[in-house]
């Protein structure tokens, strides 16, 4: 190995062992430590290695792609987070950090770093395609498909940012403006109303994800979708997006301890209508999610949700028969089993089999797409609840493993 691209932070006590090994392998680029006397202990054999007390200088150094951390444990979280956010590969000596919440945040940083690198090519292609539609609008400002397609591109880009935890508001605003421009040209354009409903729905989802009140944005989305349905009752997208609005409004109510069933039942009706009008692929994903969460809500009311859980599973089975490699379907299918596991847990029943099945589906999702952040997030959610269940059963060893 002769690729000097690694910085070691913490060159004292245990760091000396790491420094020797990394240097032997020809990987050691920089030794960093706040103590100059410690750095001075490294003799002539380390003459080709940079030595510095300025740890923050490592983050912008393009020659350093890997960082190993052997500093005092109290510094592990801060240093590892800084290195991850700078795009470095990171090795941390145990313990990873001293606080469970800090460990979870580091995991989030890892997932986001993977997503950022995976998204770069897609973003460049999206910008190039957007430029083509922008040129088309400049040539003919009355040609609606250019507004529709550019609006969809901008909305999709916003959603990709949202999946990575990055604020999508600017992209969603630009997408909304495209559909508004189309509707000024033709107020009867069903695609314009349905397209704006979709963007406003996802704006509402972002508000939910950031702990804000989504009701105003979801109401506007519902109004747009209803207008699309009025103009074209057989246009599937109007029904789909109105069903989506009602699904997320129901989920928001569920999270707040309010009654989600009216919205979830209305969502079921809309999505079933959409299914009767078109290719069922995406709509089955949405209806499967709606049924899974409606079953969870019924369980919390003391009713038996088994039949609704089964119908949700049927939707995902149909979806995956048509497209076995769809990572979103595998991810959302796991919610059927994780929610059923939580229901069983609340009844004092053994949830192990359902938790295991949920994790199998998430394993399949991450196998197909290692950058599917939602799948990794849901895995963390399941492991957390499994750990709590094992702890309640008096199994501390199993609980620690799940954590």
């Amino acid at each position: 190995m002769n690729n000097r691209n690694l910085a070691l932070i913490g060159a004292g006590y245990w760091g000396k062992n790491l420094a020797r090994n990394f240097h032997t392998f020809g990987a050691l680029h920089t030794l960093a430590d706040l103590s100059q006397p410690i750095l001075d202990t490294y003799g002539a054999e380390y003459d080709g290695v940079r030595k510095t007390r300025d740890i923050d200088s490592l983050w912008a150094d393009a020659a350093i792609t890997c960082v190993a951390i052997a500093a005092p444990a109290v510094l592990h979280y801060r240093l590892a987070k800084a290195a991850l956010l700078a795009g470095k590969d990171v090795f941390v000596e145990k313990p990873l950090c001293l606080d469970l919440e800090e460990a979870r945040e580091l995991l989030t940083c890892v997932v986001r770093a993977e997503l950022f690198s995976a998204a770069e090519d897609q973003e460049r292609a999206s910008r190039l395609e957007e430029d083509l539609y922008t040129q088309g609008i400049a040539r003919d400002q009355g040609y609606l498909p250019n507004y529709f397609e550019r609006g969809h591109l901008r909305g999709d880009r916003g959603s990709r940012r949202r999946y990575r935890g990055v604020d999508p508001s600017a992209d969603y605003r630009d997408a909304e403006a495209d559909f508004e421009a189309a509707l000024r040209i033709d107020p009867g354009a069903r695609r314009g109303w349905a397209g704006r409903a979709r963007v406003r729905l996802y704006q509402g989802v972002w508000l939910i994800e950031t702990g804000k009140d989504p009701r105003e944005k979801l109401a506007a989305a519902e109004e747009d979708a209803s207008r699309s349905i009025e103009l074209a009752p057989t246009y599937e997208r109007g029904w789909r997006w109105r069903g989506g609005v009602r699904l997320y409004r129901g989920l928001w109510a569920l999270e707040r301890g309010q009654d989600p069933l009216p919205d979830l039942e209305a969502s079921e009706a809309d999505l079933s209508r959409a299914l009767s009008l078109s290719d069922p692929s995406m709509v089955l994903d949405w209806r499967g999610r709606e049924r899974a969460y409606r079953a969870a809500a019924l369980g919390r009311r003391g009713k038996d949700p088994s039949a609704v859980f089964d119908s949700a599973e049927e939707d995902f089975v149909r979806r995956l028969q048509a497209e076995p490699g769809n990572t979103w379907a595998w991810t959302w299918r796991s919610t059927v089993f994780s929610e059923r596991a939580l229901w069983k847990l609340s009844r004092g029943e053994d949830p192990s089999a359902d938790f295991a099945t949920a994790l199998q589906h998430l394993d399949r999702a991450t196998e197909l797409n290692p950058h599917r952040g939602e799948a990794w997030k849901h895995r963390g959610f399941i492991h957390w609840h499994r750990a709590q269940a094992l702890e309640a059963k008096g199994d501390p060893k199993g609980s620690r493993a799940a954590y």
Side-chain angles (χ1 to χ4, degrees):
M1 181 175 181
N2 189 22
N3 183 17
R4 295 188 178 278
N5 60 350
L6 183 142
L8 173 64
I9 303 175
Y13 178 61
W14 188 252
K16 289 184 179 297
N17 298 315
L18 297 179
R20 182 180 64 254
N21 290 326
F22 289 139
H23 191 47
T24 299
F25 293 145
L28 190 61
H29 179 283
T30 297
L31 283 167
D33 200 291
L34 295 177
S35 170
Q36 188 62 47
I38 287 177
L39 293 175
D40 290 342
T41 63
Y42 286 83
E45 68 271 25
Y46 289 90
D47 282 350
V49 176
R50 174 190 172 208
K51 303 173 188 68
T52 183
R53 296 177 57 208
D54 184 4
I55 293 172
D56 288 339
S57 69
L58 307 178
W59 315 140
D61 190 335
I64 296 171
T65 61
C66 307
V67 173
I69 298 171
V74 70
L75 300 175
H76 284 185
Y77 164 72
R78 182 178 69 82
L79 294 171
K81 182 177 179 181
L84 288 168
L85 293 177
K88 313 296 186 185
D89 294 326
V90 181
F91 167 82
V92 185
E93 272 293 348
K94 63 180 185 290
L96 175 62
C97 46
L98 300 179
D99 181 85
L100 184 59
E101 289 302 319
E102 290 179 349
R104 290 198 186 98
E105 187 173 347
L106 290 181
L107 176 60
T108 300
C109 289
V110 171
V111 172
R112 287 181 180 172
E114 291 291 330
L115 289 168
F116 281 134
S117 62
E120 289 176 356
D121 289 342
Q122 189 175 22
E123 291 303 301
R124 281 193 290 270
S126 173
R127 293 287 185 186
L128 290 172
E129 190 174 356
E130 180 182 338
D131 288 344
L132 294 176
Y133 291 119
T134 300
Q135 293 168 23
I137 290 171
R139 288 193 300 269
D140 183 355
Q141 295 184 5
Y143 187 60
L144 294 183
N146 283 331
Y147 293 97
F148 296 148
E149 296 304 326
R150 191 174 70 174
H152 285 306
L153 275 175
R154 289 171 164 177
D156 289 343
R157 184 166 60 240
S159 292
R160 289 193 297 272
R161 291 182 186 277
R162 180 169 59 81
Y163 300 149
R164 304 197 304 265
V166 179
D167 188 348
S169 301
D171 289 305
Y172 284 152
R173 280 196 300 269
D174 289 343
E176 190 175 15
D178 280 336
F179 290 112
E180 288 173 353
L183 289 170
R184 283 195 296 271
I185 296 168
D186 181 4
R190 64 181 188 178
R191 283 189 67 187
W193 292 104
R196 193 172 70 172
R198 176 178 182 251
V199 173
R200 287 177 165 178
L201 163 60
Y202 289 140
Q203 287 173 318
V205 173
W206 172 247
L207 292 173
I208 292 172
E209 292 173 347
T210 52
K212 299 174 184 174
D213 189 334
R215 285 176 291 184
E216 182 178 346
K217 191 59 71 173
L218 292 178
E222 184 175 35
E223 185 177 337
D224 283 350
S226 296
R227 180 61 178 146
S228 176
I229 292 169
E230 291 171 10
L231 290 166
T234 59
Y235 185 52
E236 171 267 328
R237 292 184 184 181
W239 296 100
R240 182 201 305 180
W241 300 126
R242 194 171 73 176
V245 170
R246 292 169 171 177
L247 167 61
Y248 275 100
R249 191 163 55 206
L251 296 182
W252 184 69
L254 185 64
E255 289 176 359
R256 293 168 61 85
Q258 300 171 357
D259 183 9
L261 289 176
D263 276 310
L264 293 178
E265 289 167 353
S267 173
E268 162 96 9
D270 283 343
L271 295 172
S272 295
R273 176 61 175 152
L275 277 169
S276 72
L277 294 171
S278 75
D279 171 21
S281 56
M282 181 177 178
V283 184
L284 282 169
D285 288 347
W286 286 67
R287 194 176 70 175
R289 290 181 74 200
E290 179 276 319
R291 288 176 166 176
Y293 289 116
R294 181 157 53 90
L298 290 169
R300 293 179 190 182
R301 286 190 166 194
K303 299 180 180 180
D304 187 346
S306 301
V308 185
F309 277 130
D310 290 343
S311 66
E313 169 67 354
E314 289 171 5
D315 278 347
F316 287 115
V317 168
R318 286 178 60 194
R319 176 71 168 101
L320 288 165
Q321 285 174 342
E323 191 180 352
N326 187 284
T327 57
W328 281 117
W330 286 106
T331 300
W332 289 337
R333 186 183 183 187
S334 71
T335 62
V336 177
F337 295 91
S338 61
E339 291 294 339
R340 181 152 51 194
L342 293 176
W343 172 64
K344 288 182 177 179
L345 192 59
S346 72
R347 291 162 53 88
E349 299 176 11
D350 184 4
S352 302
D354 286 298
F355 275 139
T357 302
L359 288 170
Q360 287 172 6
H361 294 329
L362 292 168
D363 286 343
R364 181 59 177 150
T366 54
E367 177 187 335
L368 290 165
N369 182 358
H371 308 299
R372 179 61 68 210
E374 192 73 18
W376 290 105
K377 182 170 70 175
H378 199 58
R379 279 174 62 92
F381 166 84
I382 292 172
H383 282 305
W384 171 258
H385 283 287
R386 282 186 68 224
Q388 291 185 317
L390 290 166
E391 193 171 346
K393 286 175 64 178
D395 182 358
K397 183 177 180 181
S399 176
R400 285 195 297 271
Y403 277 128

